[in-house]
Every structure is written in C-alpha cells, then in structure tokens.
Amino acid sequence: MRHLMSPLDFSTEELDRLFDLAGDIERNMSKYAHACDGKILATCFYEPSTRTRLSFESAMLSLGGNVLGFSDAGSSSAAKGESVSDTIRTISCFADICAMRHPKEGAPMVAASRSGVPVINAGDGGHQHPTQTLTDLLTIRSLKGSLSNFTIGLCGDLKFGRTVHSLINALVRYEGIKFIFISPEELKVPDYITDMLKEKNIPYEEVIRLENVMPQLDFLYMTRVQRERFFNEEDYVRLKDFYILDKAKMELAKEDMLVLHPLPRVNEISVEVDDDPRAAYFRQVQYGVYVRMALILTLLDIHVD
Ligand code: NCD
C-alpha cells in the first residue's frame, strides 16, 4: 500500500507518468467517469480549507466515486480527545483512501503508519503540502511544456508556507532551476532548506525587494502570510501587507512570466492583476483537480484503457 506524505515519495519518472495521466484526464474526462465506481474517499480536515478539500471531493466524484469526511476538527471525535491513530483505523473501515490535513507536522505520517488504506497528506502544519506541489508542477509543465531551466521567485511567507517548502523540495530534482527567495528578514526560508540547496549546489538568492528581481523571473510564486502560524498578532499585522503585487510591478516582468499562488489570497495580489494573461492562479486550481484525479487512480492502482 502506498501513501503520499512528501512530493519526494514519487520518483521523477513516476511524476511524469502521473502528469501524463492528468493530461489525459484533462483531454478525455468522460473516459474516467466510472473509474472509481463503488470507491469511497474520506477527507479528514482538522484545519480550514476550500480548494484542497473540495478539489479532492470533486476529483473523486468526477471518477464516479463517493466522498465522506469532516471539515473541522471540532465536529469530529478529535474534540473528545481521540488520537489520529484511532481515527484513521476507524476511517479505514469506512473508506478506500483518505486525504488528511492537520495543524501538527507529521500527523498524516502517524496516520499512514496505522492506516488500512492509502493516506494522502493534504497539508501538515508548516511542513509539507505535497498535493499542492503536484498541482504547481502540473501547472508549470502544462503551461510551459517543461519542468527544467527556469528562474522561480518565491515571495511572501517563506518561513511558515508549507507549499513553498514542498515546492522547493520537488524542484531541486530538475535541471537548471534557479531560486530567488523574496521575503522580509523575519519570514525567510528555513535554514534546513538553504543548507540543502548549498549541499546540492543549486543556485539561490535571498532578497527583500520584489521590484529588483521581477525582470529575471520566469515564474513568480506568491504566498499569503500564514497568520495561523504566528505567535503574536502584532507581528502578523506588521508583515501581512509587506508585498502587494500590482499592475505597476507586473510591468517590470517578462512578457511570458507566469504568476502562481496556491491561494487563498489575502492582499498580496491586487485584484487588478487577475485580468493580466500572465496571472495563472485560477488555472492552477483547475490543474489541481486533474492531478488529484490522477493521484487517486495511482494510489488505488486503478488503470483505465
Ligand atoms: C495553502 C495551504 O493550505 O497551505 N492553501 C492551499 O491548500 N491551496 C496555502 C495557504 O493556506 O496559504
């Protein structure tokens, strides 16, 4: 039985197959409409979500399967003190596969070790968010044709943003990637990540001003400041509007640069940017459904001819 805890759980060859499958799903949706007939996906979300949970549910429903779950720890037995291990053993009696989001780093991993069904990490604290990374990689591959040879700027909360950590981990396996980390001093990417980049000789720069690096970027990955992971509200208020991508900043960018964002957005991208053809964040949401469909099929070992 296979789980997904980190994007590195799949080799790059396996990821290529997954993305090819997602591409086929995009082009031939109806072919997959009954692939998961009779199968059940459980979504166990101990933290808020719109896209991740609903795109998992949309993915399973589009495959002909069914969904059940909870979207709030307070409405589950976690509120009575049940452990994640006991919850997953219970869920294993109800469902064929489970997507779990939890505020504690490592909780989905604990669940996977006790589960009778495949578990997908749908975000664990400030640690990893592998299915967002699959979404990001599929978006880049689909819109640019390749996952190699580009400069990507990651901007905003690089300290607590789990999507950032997962994406960097995944991208270091491709050729010719340069990272530019754009953040205030307090929200810099963790040392364990820059140590890993140094060890692998992967080029990166750390800067504070977005304007200065805009012309170099092939992709700009914007992120929200992760309010829920701050220790005090004052720091959040001071940092939350540090970056606001607007039309004027977009004028500094290449004509074919793409703006990605895992969403939700707060203020970091002005709505006036949404009409710019380089704004790819809502297309990214759509790719998230295709890639989750491909992932469910892969983990359940279901093949459609
Ligand atoms: C992200 C998350 O939950 O980490 N959202 C998502 O799943 N697309 C990003 C965020 O909340 O900022």
Side-chain angles (χ1 to χ4, degrees), residues 147-184:
L147 283 164
S148 305
N149 301 315
F150 56 77
T151 297
I152 181 164
L154 295 111
C155 178
D157 187 346
L158 310 186
K159 179 178 181 185
F160 295 116
R162 56 192 172 198
T163 63
V164 167
H165 307 156
S166 280
L167 182 57
I168 298 169
N169 261 327
L171 282 176
V172 298
R173 297 193 294 183
Y174 297 93
E175 293 281 301
I177 308 289
K178 177 177 177 189
F179 294 99
I180 302 188
F181 301 132
I182 308 141
S183 74

PDB file of all heavy atoms in Angstrom, residues 147-184:
ATOM      1  N   LEU A 147       9.704  21.108 -17.000  1.00  0.00           N
ATOM      2  CA  LEU A 147       9.971  21.420 -15.597  1.00  0.00           C
ATOM      3  C   LEU A 147      11.441  21.760 -15.381  1.00  0.00           C
ATOM      4  O   LEU A 147      11.948  21.655 -14.261  1.00  0.00           O
ATOM      5  CB  LEU A 147       9.554  20.235 -14.717  1.00  0.00           C
ATOM      6  CG  LEU A 147       8.048  20.105 -14.489  1.00  0.00           C
ATOM      7  CD1 LEU A 147       7.676  18.727 -13.959  1.00  0.00           C
ATOM      8  CD2 LEU A 147       7.556  21.175 -13.516  1.00  0.00           C
ATOM      9  N   SER A 148      12.133  22.145 -16.445  1.00  0.00           N
ATOM     10  CA  SER A 148      13.565  22.445 -16.325  1.00  0.00           C
ATOM     11  C   SER A 148      13.868  23.846 -16.831  1.00  0.00           C
ATOM     12  O   SER A 148      13.078  24.434 -17.575  1.00  0.00           O
ATOM     13  CB  SER A 148      14.378  21.471 -17.175  1.00  0.00           C
ATOM     14  OG  SER A 148      14.060  20.169 -16.824  1.00  0.00           O
ATOM     15  N   ASN A 149      15.054  24.324 -16.401  1.00  0.00           N
ATOM     16  CA  ASN A 149      15.629  25.567 -16.934  1.00  0.00           C
ATOM     17  C   ASN A 149      14.739  26.799 -16.782  1.00  0.00           C
ATOM     18  O   ASN A 149      14.289  27.375 -17.763  1.00  0.00           O
ATOM     19  CB  ASN A 149      16.007  25.385 -18.421  1.00  0.00           C
ATOM     20  CG  ASN A 149      16.999  24.267 -18.580  1.00  0.00           C
ATOM     21  OD1 ASN A 149      17.954  24.173 -17.821  1.00  0.00           O
ATOM     22  ND2 ASN A 149      16.745  23.384 -19.526  1.00  0.00           N
ATOM     23  N   PHE A 150      14.477  27.159 -15.547  1.00  0.00           N
ATOM     24  CA  PHE A 150      13.803  28.437 -15.318  1.00  0.00           C
ATOM     25  C   PHE A 150      14.207  29.022 -13.971  1.00  0.00           C
ATOM     26  O   PHE A 150      14.769  28.332 -13.117  1.00  0.00           O
ATOM     27  CB  PHE A 150      12.272  28.295 -15.424  1.00  0.00           C
ATOM     28  CG  PHE A 150      11.637  27.278 -14.518  1.00  0.00           C
ATOM     29  CD1 PHE A 150      11.440  27.539 -13.170  1.00  0.00           C
ATOM     30  CD2 PHE A 150      11.217  26.049 -15.025  1.00  0.00           C
ATOM     31  CE1 PHE A 150      10.842  26.600 -12.339  1.00  0.00           C
ATOM     32  CE2 PHE A 150      10.625  25.098 -14.192  1.00  0.00           C
ATOM     33  CZ  PHE A 150      10.440  25.377 -12.852  1.00  0.00           C
ATOM     34  N   THR A 151      13.921  30.316 -13.851  1.00  0.00           N
ATOM     35  CA  THR A 151      14.153  31.022 -12.582  1.00  0.00           C
ATOM     36  C   THR A 151      12.800  31.254 -11.943  1.00  0.00           C
ATOM     37  O   THR A 151      11.893  31.798 -12.581  1.00  0.00           O
ATOM     38  CB  THR A 151      14.866  32.369 -12.848  1.00  0.00           C
ATOM     39  OG1 THR A 151      16.138  32.066 -13.419  1.00  0.00           O
ATOM     40  CG2 THR A 151      15.063  33.160 -11.570  1.00  0.00           C
ATOM     41  N   ILE A 152      12.684  30.806 -10.702  1.00  0.00           N
ATOM     42  CA  ILE A 152      11.401  30.974  -9.997  1.00  0.00           C
ATOM     43  C   ILE A 152      11.615  31.834  -8.759  1.00  0.00           C
ATOM     44  O   ILE A 152      12.536  31.587  -7.976  1.00  0.00           O
ATOM     45  CB  ILE A 152      10.759  29.602  -9.654  1.00  0.00           C
ATOM     46  CG1 ILE A 152       9.409  29.796  -8.946  1.00  0.00           C
ATOM     47  CG2 ILE A 152      11.675  28.702  -8.817  1.00  0.00           C
ATOM     48  CD1 ILE A 152       8.527  28.553  -8.913  1.00  0.00           C
ATOM     49  N   GLY A 153      10.796  32.861  -8.625  1.00  0.00           N
ATOM     50  CA  GLY A 153      10.818  33.694  -7.438  1.00  0.00           C
ATOM     51  C   GLY A 153       9.713  33.234  -6.506  1.00  0.00           C
ATOM     52  O   GLY A 153       8.568  33.063  -6.941  1.00  0.00           O
ATOM     53  N   LEU A 154      10.066  32.982  -5.252  1.00  0.00           N
ATOM     54  CA  LEU A 154       9.039  32.622  -4.258  1.00  0.00           C
ATOM     55  C   LEU A 154       8.954  33.787  -3.293  1.00  0.00           C
ATOM     56  O   LEU A 154       9.978  34.198  -2.722  1.00  0.00           O
ATOM     57  CB  LEU A 154       9.395  31.315  -3.550  1.00  0.00           C
ATOM     58  CG  LEU A 154       9.399  30.109  -4.492  1.00  0.00           C
ATOM     59  CD1 LEU A 154      10.798  29.583  -4.696  1.00  0.00           C
ATOM     60  CD2 LEU A 154       8.497  29.013  -3.970  1.00  0.00           C
ATOM     61  N   CYS A 155       7.760  34.334  -3.132  1.00  0.00           N
ATOM     62  CA  CYS A 155       7.621  35.617  -2.449  1.00  0.00           C
ATOM     63  C   CYS A 155       6.592  35.550  -1.319  1.00  0.00           C
ATOM     64  O   CYS A 155       5.499  35.019  -1.513  1.00  0.00           O
ATOM     65  CB  CYS A 155       7.186  36.663  -3.481  1.00  0.00           C
ATOM     66  SG  CYS A 155       6.908  38.281  -2.783  1.00  0.00           S
ATOM     67  N   GLY A 156       6.953  36.098  -0.158  1.00  0.00           N
ATOM     68  CA  GLY A 156       5.976  36.212   0.925  1.00  0.00           C
ATOM     69  C   GLY A 156       6.458  35.493   2.172  1.00  0.00           C
ATOM     70  O   GLY A 156       7.577  35.710   2.635  1.00  0.00           O
ATOM     71  N   ASP A 157       5.619  34.604   2.688  1.00  0.00           N
ATOM     72  CA  ASP A 157       5.926  33.902   3.931  1.00  0.00           C
ATOM     73  C   ASP A 157       6.643  32.586   3.624  1.00  0.00           C
ATOM     74  O   ASP A 157       6.032  31.530   3.496  1.00  0.00           O
ATOM     75  CB  ASP A 157       4.619  33.639   4.688  1.00  0.00           C
ATOM     76  CG  ASP A 157       4.871  33.068   6.080  1.00  0.00           C
ATOM     77  OD1 ASP A 157       6.003  32.638   6.352  1.00  0.00           O
ATOM     78  OD2 ASP A 157       3.916  33.066   6.882  1.00  0.00           O
ATOM     79  N   LEU A 158       7.954  32.684   3.507  1.00  0.00           N
ATOM     80  CA  LEU A 158       8.733  31.503   3.124  1.00  0.00           C
ATOM     81  C   LEU A 158       9.106  30.678   4.353  1.00  0.00           C
ATOM     82  O   LEU A 158       9.600  29.562   4.243  1.00  0.00           O
ATOM     83  CB  LEU A 158       9.990  31.926   2.360  1.00  0.00           C
ATOM     84  CG  LEU A 158       9.752  32.915   1.210  1.00  0.00           C
ATOM     85  CD1 LEU A 158      11.040  33.136   0.436  1.00  0.00           C
ATOM     86  CD2 LEU A 158       8.647  32.425   0.273  1.00  0.00           C
ATOM     87  N   LYS A 159       8.825  31.252   5.528  1.00  0.00           N
ATOM     88  CA  LYS A 159       9.151  30.547   6.768  1.00  0.00           C
ATOM     89  C   LYS A 159       8.078  29.509   7.108  1.00  0.00           C
ATOM     90  O   LYS A 159       8.364  28.345   7.329  1.00  0.00           O
ATOM     91  CB  LYS A 159       9.264  31.571   7.900  1.00  0.00           C
ATOM     92  CG  LYS A 159       9.566  30.958   9.244  1.00  0.00           C
ATOM     93  CD  LYS A 159       9.715  32.026  10.298  1.00  0.00           C
ATOM     94  CE  LYS A 159      10.038  31.386  11.650  1.00  0.00           C
ATOM     95  NZ  LYS A 159      10.068  32.399  12.698  1.00  0.00           N
ATOM     96  N   PHE A 160       6.828  29.974   7.100  1.00  0.00           N
ATOM     97  CA  PHE A 160       5.742  29.086   7.525  1.00  0.00           C
ATOM     98  C   PHE A 160       4.998  28.446   6.363  1.00  0.00           C
ATOM     99  O   PHE A 160       4.193  27.551   6.561  1.00  0.00           O
ATOM    100  CB  PHE A 160       4.726  29.874   8.361  1.00  0.00           C
ATOM    101  CG  PHE A 160       5.279  30.397   9.666  1.00  0.00           C
ATOM    102  CD1 PHE A 160       5.376  31.760   9.894  1.00  0.00           C
ATOM    103  CD2 PHE A 160       5.692  29.529  10.664  1.00  0.00           C
ATOM    104  CE1 PHE A 160       5.870  32.256  11.096  1.00  0.00           C
ATOM    105  CE2 PHE A 160       6.195  30.014  11.865  1.00  0.00           C
ATOM    106  CZ  PHE A 160       6.286  31.375  12.077  1.00  0.00           C
ATOM    107  N   GLY A 161       5.237  28.925   5.139  1.00  0.00           N
ATOM    108  CA  GLY A 161       4.444  28.448   3.993  1.00  0.00           C
ATOM    109  C   GLY A 161       4.820  27.023   3.593  1.00  0.00           C
ATOM    110  O   GLY A 161       5.868  26.790   2.993  1.00  0.00           O
ATOM    111  N   ARG A 162       3.946  26.090   3.893  1.00  0.00           N
ATOM    112  CA  ARG A 162       4.277  24.676   3.602  1.00  0.00           C
ATOM    113  C   ARG A 162       4.309  24.401   2.106  1.00  0.00           C
ATOM    114  O   ARG A 162       5.048  23.535   1.643  1.00  0.00           O
ATOM    115  CB  ARG A 162       3.278  23.752   4.299  1.00  0.00           C
ATOM    116  CG  ARG A 162       1.825  24.026   3.934  1.00  0.00           C
ATOM    117  CD  ARG A 162       0.899  23.282   4.865  1.00  0.00           C
ATOM    118  NE  ARG A 162      -0.490  23.662   4.677  1.00  0.00           N
ATOM    119  CZ  ARG A 162      -1.445  23.425   5.572  1.00  0.00           C
ATOM    120  NH1 ARG A 162      -1.160  22.814   6.706  1.00  0.00           N
ATOM    121  NH2 ARG A 162      -2.687  23.768   5.332  1.00  0.00           N
ATOM    122  N   THR A 163       3.519  25.176   1.331  1.00  0.00           N
ATOM    123  CA  THR A 163       3.525  24.943  -0.121  1.00  0.00           C
ATOM    124  C   THR A 163       4.899  25.302  -0.695  1.00  0.00           C
ATOM    125  O   THR A 163       5.368  24.667  -1.633  1.00  0.00           O
ATOM    126  CB  THR A 163       2.446  25.790  -0.832  1.00  0.00           C
ATOM    127  OG1 THR A 163       2.729  27.168  -0.652  1.00  0.00           O
ATOM    128  CG2 THR A 163       1.061  25.500  -0.296  1.00  0.00           C
ATOM    129  N   VAL A 164       5.529  26.318  -0.104  1.00  0.00           N
ATOM    130  CA  VAL A 164       6.854  26.742  -0.543  1.00  0.00           C
ATOM    131  C   VAL A 164       7.870  25.642  -0.250  1.00  0.00           C
ATOM    132  O   VAL A 164       8.693  25.278  -1.098  1.00  0.00           O
ATOM    133  CB  VAL A 164       7.241  28.051   0.201  1.00  0.00           C
ATOM    134  CG1 VAL A 164       8.715  28.383   0.033  1.00  0.00           C
ATOM    135  CG2 VAL A 164       6.368  29.201  -0.255  1.00  0.00           C
ATOM    136  N   HIS A 165       7.801  25.087   0.961  1.00  0.00           N
ATOM    137  CA  HIS A 165       8.775  24.056   1.354  1.00  0.00           C
ATOM    138  C   HIS A 165       8.663  22.834   0.450  1.00  0.00           C
ATOM    139  O   HIS A 165       9.665  22.278  -0.015  1.00  0.00           O
ATOM    140  CB  HIS A 165       8.576  23.666   2.830  1.00  0.00           C
ATOM    141  CG  HIS A 165       8.596  24.854   3.760  1.00  0.00           C
ATOM    142  ND1 HIS A 165       8.004  24.863   4.988  1.00  0.00           N
ATOM    143  CD2 HIS A 165       9.146  26.085   3.599  1.00  0.00           C
ATOM    144  CE1 HIS A 165       8.190  26.052   5.552  1.00  0.00           C
ATOM    145  NE2 HIS A 165       8.870  26.805   4.725  1.00  0.00           N
ATOM    146  N   SER A 166       7.440  22.421   0.186  1.00  0.00           N
ATOM    147  CA  SER A 166       7.236  21.239  -0.661  1.00  0.00           C
ATOM    148  C   SER A 166       7.692  21.510  -2.096  1.00  0.00           C
ATOM    149  O   SER A 166       8.295  20.643  -2.730  1.00  0.00           O
ATOM    150  CB  SER A 166       5.752  20.855  -0.707  1.00  0.00           C
ATOM    151  OG  SER A 166       5.396  20.139   0.437  1.00  0.00           O
ATOM    152  N   LEU A 167       7.392  22.703  -2.596  1.00  0.00           N
ATOM    153  CA  LEU A 167       7.719  23.002  -3.998  1.00  0.00           C
ATOM    154  C   LEU A 167       9.242  23.051  -4.196  1.00  0.00           C
ATOM    155  O   LEU A 167       9.764  22.504  -5.174  1.00  0.00           O
ATOM    156  CB  LEU A 167       7.070  24.331  -4.422  1.00  0.00           C
ATOM    157  CG  LEU A 167       7.281  24.757  -5.867  1.00  0.00           C
ATOM    158  CD1 LEU A 167       6.791  23.698  -6.848  1.00  0.00           C
ATOM    159  CD2 LEU A 167       6.570  26.083  -6.157  1.00  0.00           C
ATOM    160  N   ILE A 168       9.943  23.671  -3.258  1.00  0.00           N
ATOM    161  CA  ILE A 168      11.415  23.728  -3.391  1.00  0.00           C
ATOM    162  C   ILE A 168      11.970  22.303  -3.380  1.00  0.00           C
ATOM    163  O   ILE A 168      12.779  21.927  -4.231  1.00  0.00           O
ATOM    164  CB  ILE A 168      12.042  24.561  -2.252  1.00  0.00           C
ATOM    165  CG1 ILE A 168      11.545  26.003  -2.315  1.00  0.00           C
ATOM    166  CG2 ILE A 168      13.569  24.518  -2.333  1.00  0.00           C
ATOM    167  CD1 ILE A 168      11.887  26.840  -1.091  1.00  0.00           C
ATOM    168  N   ASN A 169      11.519  21.505  -2.416  1.00  0.00           N
ATOM    169  CA  ASN A 169      11.968  20.106  -2.331  1.00  0.00           C
ATOM    170  C   ASN A 169      11.792  19.366  -3.639  1.00  0.00           C
ATOM    171  O   ASN A 169      12.634  18.569  -4.039  1.00  0.00           O
ATOM    172  CB  ASN A 169      11.097  19.361  -1.300  1.00  0.00           C
ATOM    173  CG  ASN A 169      11.785  19.258   0.019  1.00  0.00           C
ATOM    174  OD1 ASN A 169      12.994  19.147   0.060  1.00  0.00           O
ATOM    175  ND2 ASN A 169      11.017  19.307   1.093  1.00  0.00           N
ATOM    176  N   ALA A 170      10.663  19.619  -4.288  1.00  0.00           N
ATOM    177  CA  ALA A 170      10.353  18.889  -5.522  1.00  0.00           C
ATOM    178  C   ALA A 170      11.169  19.426  -6.696  1.00  0.00           C
ATOM    179  O   ALA A 170      11.630  18.659  -7.540  1.00  0.00           O
ATOM    180  CB  ALA A 170       8.868  19.004  -5.836  1.00  0.00           C
ATOM    181  N   LEU A 171      11.367  20.741  -6.755  1.00  0.00           N
ATOM    182  CA  LEU A 171      12.021  21.329  -7.937  1.00  0.00           C
ATOM    183  C   LEU A 171      13.519  21.063  -8.005  1.00  0.00           C
ATOM    184  O   LEU A 171      14.102  21.111  -9.081  1.00  0.00           O
ATOM    185  CB  LEU A 171      11.767  22.838  -7.986  1.00  0.00           C
ATOM    186  CG  LEU A 171      10.384  23.271  -8.480  1.00  0.00           C
ATOM    187  CD1 LEU A 171      10.245  24.794  -8.390  1.00  0.00           C
ATOM    188  CD2 LEU A 171      10.131  22.817  -9.919  1.00  0.00           C
ATOM    189  N   VAL A 172      14.141  20.780  -6.849  1.00  0.00           N
ATOM    190  CA  VAL A 172      15.598  20.578  -6.883  1.00  0.00           C
ATOM    191  C   VAL A 172      15.985  19.339  -7.698  1.00  0.00           C
ATOM    192  O   VAL A 172      17.139  19.166  -8.054  1.00  0.00           O
ATOM    193  CB  VAL A 172      16.227  20.470  -5.466  1.00  0.00           C
ATOM    194  CG1 VAL A 172      16.015  21.755  -4.697  1.00  0.00           C
ATOM    195  CG2 VAL A 172      15.688  19.280  -4.705  1.00  0.00           C
ATOM    196  N   ARG A 173      15.002  18.507  -8.017  1.00  0.00           N
ATOM    197  CA  ARG A 173      15.341  17.306  -8.793  1.00  0.00           C
ATOM    198  C   ARG A 173      15.376  17.580 -10.303  1.00  0.00           C
ATOM    199  O   ARG A 173      15.694  16.693 -11.077  1.00  0.00           O
ATOM    200  CB  ARG A 173      14.342  16.188  -8.486  1.00  0.00           C
ATOM    201  CG  ARG A 173      14.415  15.771  -7.021  1.00  0.00           C
ATOM    202  CD  ARG A 173      13.687  14.487  -6.773  1.00  0.00           C
ATOM    203  NE  ARG A 173      12.258  14.627  -6.979  1.00  0.00           N
ATOM    204  CZ  ARG A 173      11.385  13.648  -6.762  1.00  0.00           C
ATOM    205  NH1 ARG A 173      11.795  12.475  -6.356  1.00  0.00           N
ATOM    206  NH2 ARG A 173      10.103  13.850  -6.958  1.00  0.00           N
ATOM    207  N   TYR A 174      15.025  18.808 -10.719  1.00  0.00           N
ATOM    208  CA  TYR A 174      15.021  19.112 -12.152  1.00  0.00           C
ATOM    209  C   TYR A 174      16.236  19.969 -12.509  1.00  0.00           C
ATOM    210  O   TYR A 174      16.799  20.659 -11.654  1.00  0.00           O
ATOM    211  CB  TYR A 174      13.697  19.796 -12.529  1.00  0.00           C
ATOM    212  CG  TYR A 174      12.508  18.883 -12.292  1.00  0.00           C
ATOM    213  CD1 TYR A 174      11.799  18.903 -11.092  1.00  0.00           C
ATOM    214  CD2 TYR A 174      12.140  17.942 -13.249  1.00  0.00           C
ATOM    215  CE1 TYR A 174      10.738  18.031 -10.858  1.00  0.00           C
ATOM    216  CE2 TYR A 174      11.081  17.066 -13.026  1.00  0.00           C
ATOM    217  CZ  TYR A 174      10.383  17.120 -11.838  1.00  0.00           C
ATOM    218  OH  TYR A 174       9.344  16.252 -11.602  1.00  0.00           O
ATOM    219  N   GLU A 175      16.611  19.926 -13.794  1.00  0.00           N
ATOM    220  CA  GLU A 175      17.805  20.627 -14.296  1.00  0.00           C
ATOM    221  C   GLU A 175      17.584  22.138 -14.402  1.00  0.00           C
ATOM    222  O   GLU A 175      16.503  22.577 -14.812  1.00  0.00           O
ATOM    223  CB  GLU A 175      18.084  20.178 -15.738  1.00  0.00           C
ATOM    224  CG  GLU A 175      18.495  18.741 -15.903  1.00  0.00           C
ATOM    225  CD  GLU A 175      19.952  18.541 -15.546  1.00  0.00           C
ATOM    226  OE1 GLU A 175      20.782  19.184 -16.192  1.00  0.00           O
ATOM    227  OE2 GLU A 175      20.218  17.761 -14.605  1.00  0.00           O
ATOM    228  N   GLY A 176      18.627  22.881 -14.108  1.00  0.00           N
ATOM    229  CA  GLY A 176      18.674  24.298 -14.465  1.00  0.00           C
ATOM    230  C   GLY A 176      17.660  25.184 -13.750  1.00  0.00           C
ATOM    231  O   GLY A 176      17.198  26.171 -14.321  1.00  0.00           O
ATOM    232  N   ILE A 177      17.330  24.839 -12.507  1.00  0.00           N
ATOM    233  CA  ILE A 177      16.387  25.693 -11.756  1.00  0.00           C
ATOM    234  C   ILE A 177      17.179  26.653 -10.870  1.00  0.00           C
ATOM    235  O   ILE A 177      18.090  26.244 -10.162  1.00  0.00           O
ATOM    236  CB  ILE A 177      15.467  24.850 -10.834  1.00  0.00           C
ATOM    237  CG1 ILE A 177      14.771  23.721 -11.586  1.00  0.00           C
ATOM    238  CG2 ILE A 177      14.468  25.739 -10.094  1.00  0.00           C
ATOM    239  CD1 ILE A 177      13.705  24.120 -12.535  1.00  0.00           C
ATOM    240  N   LYS A 178      16.800  27.929 -10.937  1.00  0.00           N
ATOM    241  CA  LYS A 178      17.367  28.902 -10.001  1.00  0.00           C
ATOM    242  C   LYS A 178      16.250  29.464  -9.129  1.00  0.00           C
ATOM    243  O   LYS A 178      15.172  29.794  -9.658  1.00  0.00           O
ATOM    244  CB  LYS A 178      18.050  30.023 -10.782  1.00  0.00           C
ATOM    245  CG  LYS A 178      18.589  31.072  -9.845  1.00  0.00           C
ATOM    246  CD  LYS A 178      19.337  32.185 -10.520  1.00  0.00           C
ATOM    247  CE  LYS A 178      19.724  33.181  -9.422  1.00  0.00           C
ATOM    248  NZ  LYS A 178      20.276  34.409  -9.953  1.00  0.00           N
ATOM    249  N   PHE A 179      16.520  29.560  -7.835  1.00  0.00           N
ATOM    250  CA  PHE A 179      15.510  30.089  -6.904  1.00  0.00           C
ATOM    251  C   PHE A 179      15.872  31.511  -6.490  1.00  0.00           C
ATOM    252  O   PHE A 179      17.034  31.797  -6.196  1.00  0.00           O
ATOM    253  CB  PHE A 179      15.471  29.248  -5.621  1.00  0.00           C
ATOM    254  CG  PHE A 179      15.001  27.840  -5.828  1.00  0.00           C
ATOM    255  CD1 PHE A 179      15.911  26.784  -5.937  1.00  0.00           C
ATOM    256  CD2 PHE A 179      13.645  27.546  -5.910  1.00  0.00           C
ATOM    257  CE1 PHE A 179      15.480  25.482  -6.132  1.00  0.00           C
ATOM    258  CE2 PHE A 179      13.207  26.239  -6.094  1.00  0.00           C
ATOM    259  CZ  PHE A 179      14.129  25.210  -6.206  1.00  0.00           C
ATOM    260  N   ILE A 180      14.859  32.356  -6.462  1.00  0.00           N
ATOM    261  CA  ILE A 180      15.042  33.666  -5.825  1.00  0.00           C
ATOM    262  C   ILE A 180      13.999  33.772  -4.714  1.00  0.00           C
ATOM    263  O   ILE A 180      12.790  33.701  -4.972  1.00  0.00           O
ATOM    264  CB  ILE A 180      14.900  34.822  -6.832  1.00  0.00           C
ATOM    265  CG1 ILE A 180      15.934  34.638  -7.964  1.00  0.00           C
ATOM    266  CG2 ILE A 180      15.100  36.167  -6.124  1.00  0.00           C
ATOM    267  CD1 ILE A 180      16.042  35.789  -8.925  1.00  0.00           C
ATOM    268  N   PHE A 181      14.484  33.868  -3.494  1.00  0.00           N
ATOM    269  CA  PHE A 181      13.592  33.927  -2.328  1.00  0.00           C
ATOM    270  C   PHE A 181      13.384  35.389  -1.954  1.00  0.00           C
ATOM    271  O   PHE A 181      14.348  36.105  -1.662  1.00  0.00           O
ATOM    272  CB  PHE A 181      14.191  33.161  -1.152  1.00  0.00           C
ATOM    273  CG  PHE A 181      14.443  31.705  -1.455  1.00  0.00           C
ATOM    274  CD1 PHE A 181      15.657  31.113  -1.143  1.00  0.00           C
ATOM    275  CD2 PHE A 181      13.468  30.930  -2.063  1.00  0.00           C
ATOM    276  CE1 PHE A 181      15.886  29.768  -1.425  1.00  0.00           C
ATOM    277  CE2 PHE A 181      13.683  29.588  -2.347  1.00  0.00           C
ATOM    278  CZ  PHE A 181      14.905  29.005  -2.029  1.00  0.00           C
ATOM    279  N   ILE A 182      12.136  35.804  -1.956  1.00  0.00           N
ATOM    280  CA  ILE A 182      11.814  37.210  -1.711  1.00  0.00           C
ATOM    281  C   ILE A 182      10.951  37.270  -0.447  1.00  0.00           C
ATOM    282  O   ILE A 182       9.793  36.817  -0.455  1.00  0.00           O
ATOM    283  CB  ILE A 182      11.033  37.781  -2.916  1.00  0.00           C
ATOM    284  CG1 ILE A 182      11.796  37.507  -4.231  1.00  0.00           C
ATOM    285  CG2 ILE A 182      10.759  39.278  -2.735  1.00  0.00           C
ATOM    286  CD1 ILE A 182      10.918  37.144  -5.395  1.00  0.00           C
ATOM    287  N   SER A 183      11.541  37.772   0.627  1.00  0.00           N
ATOM    288  CA  SER A 183      10.770  37.810   1.879  1.00  0.00           C
ATOM    289  C   SER A 183      11.366  38.843   2.814  1.00  0.00           C
ATOM    290  O   SER A 183      12.534  39.191   2.678  1.00  0.00           O
ATOM    291  CB  SER A 183      10.814  36.445   2.573  1.00  0.00           C
ATOM    292  OG  SER A 183      12.086  36.244   3.152  1.00  0.00           O
ATOM    293  N   PRO A 184      10.567  39.297   3.790  1.00  0.00           N
ATOM    294  CA  PRO A 184      11.179  40.108   4.850  1.00  0.00           C
ATOM    295  C   PRO A 184      12.099  39.202   5.679  1.00  0.00           C
ATOM    296  O   PRO A 184      11.938  37.976   5.669  1.00  0.00           O
ATOM    297  CB  PRO A 184       9.981  40.593   5.673  1.00  0.00           C
ATOM    298  CG  PRO A 184       8.833  39.722   5.297  1.00  0.00           C
ATOM    299  CD  PRO A 184       9.124  39.141   3.954  1.00  0.00           C
TER     300      PRO A 184
END
